[in-house]
Amino acid sequence: MTPMTTTRPEPTMPHRRAELLPGIVELMEHHRRHCPEYARILAATGHGPGRHYAALSDVPWLPVRLFKNHVLRSVAADAVSSVLTSSGTTGTPSRIHLDAPAARAHQRALLNTLRPVLGARRLPMLVVDSAAQARRGATRSARAAGVLGLMNAGRDHTFVLDGDDRLDVTALRGFLSRHGGEPFLVFGFTYLVWTRLIQPAQEAGLDLSGGILLHSGGWKRLAGQAVDAAAFREAAARAGLSRSHDFYGMVEQIGVVHVEGDEPGLLSPPEGAEVIIRDPVTWEEARPGETGLIQVLSTLPRSYPGHSLLTEDLGVAHRVDSRTRFTVLGRLPRAEARGCSDAGVAS
């Protein structure tokens, strides 16, 4: 599974990583005690109890694909309150098990990450999705989980897509008549926002000024239309959405979102999280500017061993100091597409 790593001194390890290291190691030991399957993986890869880790980059990771074929949880089965499924467009989805305390912790972390973008008060919320997504049960897709999770950041929720994912212009006009002219939140998956909101709103002459847009996923579909992060932002601004933020996250680390700042396409990990870009041949950390696989680390996951995961996404780190800045380039070739499978959207 995880290649055996060697501990090595890292005297220039950024202060942020030095602060995260004890928490990540504590989580590794927690999951070793409470998840027998994870303990066997650690033993098989040379990461026995009591091993010293001098650097965050030495901590072992799990490939995200393990959650597709194995039940990995660190809580009793009867304590699980919800099971989230990933959004791969083909094959078996990942299944992530949360108990009630974990679900609350993940929700708090998400809202705390978004507070600097949205402000302290809950804003009226325009959801670029259908109401059917909010009616899913405890076992729900990443698309549904994203909608439900972000709904807690807003109020007066208005869904502007019908059951066939077409724009409901009447619902949109009604929302704008109530809240146009004041700040409001817009949330949707990137491809849906582009095809179902930004372009149709411009064609209908609707002004979305005042909206703060949060979006994620769907870039693979937009690449075929020559739409990159800068072009997306420019079009969103023409529709009135001058405040637009992409974010990167996954169901395997639910509640952890890496948000785009002022520079298009440049993402930052939230508090308690870090990103490492790994060379896919040597597995060593890639230098800033070099392409590699994205490893995500977080002190949040306690109900399942999701604290250190190697994704199938390619990225580039641009800066590694007080906070890593990175760009997501897309999926590893031949890796399963991820995004909003129930909308035909792949990121």
Side-chain angles (χ1 to χ4, degrees), residues 171-182:
L172 177 56
R173 290 186 187 277
F175 179 89
L176 294 176
S177 69
R178 296 192 304 275
H179 301 296
E182 63 174 319

Side-chain angles (χ1 to χ4, degrees), residues 126-133 143-144 147 158-162 165 187-189 192 340 343:
L126 192 67
V127 184
V128 189
D129 219 315
S130 66
Q133 290 296 332
R143 174 177 167 183
V147 169
T158 299
F159 295 85
V160 292
L161 299 188
D162 62 19
D165 284 344
F187 170 71
F189 288 91
L192 292 175
C340 315

Side-chain angles (χ1 to χ4, degrees), residues 185-308:
L185 170 61
V186 181
F187 170 71
F189 288 91
T190 305
Y191 181 71
L192 292 175
V193 171
W194 178 261
T195 59
R196 310 299 199 268
L197 180 66
I198 291 177
Q199 292 176 314
Q202 287 181 293
E203 292 169 0
L206 298 176
D207 185 5
L208 301 174
S209 295
I212 303 171
L213 172 62
L214 287 173
H215 64 99
S216 182
W219 285 108
K220 185 176 180 179
R221 291 286 294 273
L222 291 184
Q225 302 181 33
V227 179
D228 59 11
F232 184 96
R233 272 201 173 190
E234 290 173 5
R238 288 196 298 271
L241 296 168
S242 58
R243 296 179 61 185
S244 173
H245 301 273
D246 187 13
F247 66 87
Y248 172 69
M250 63 202 70
V251 73
E252 292 88 357
Q253 266 192 9
I254 192 71
V256 181
V257 292
H258 309 263
V259 182
E260 182 184 46
D262 294 332
E263 188 172 345
L266 208 57
L267 305 165
S268 299
E271 291 301 315
E274 179 59 310
V275 161
I276 293 174
I277 307 298
R278 291 198 176 271
D279 185 301
V281 176
T282 67
W283 300 114
E284 294 294 326
E285 181 170 5
R287 301 181 195 281
E290 294 179 346
T291 298
L293 284 171
I294 298 174
Q295 178 188 356
V296 289
L297 301 102
S298 170
T299 57
L300 191 58
R302 294 196 71 85
S303 63
Y304 67 99
H307 57 289
S308 178

Side-chain angles (χ1 to χ4, degrees), residues 81-102:
S81 62
S82 59
V83 181
L84 306 182
T85 59
S86 64
S87 55
T89 56
T90 61
T92 304
S94 295
R95 294 173 63 83
I96 302 304
H97 297 77
L98 302 177
D99 60 3

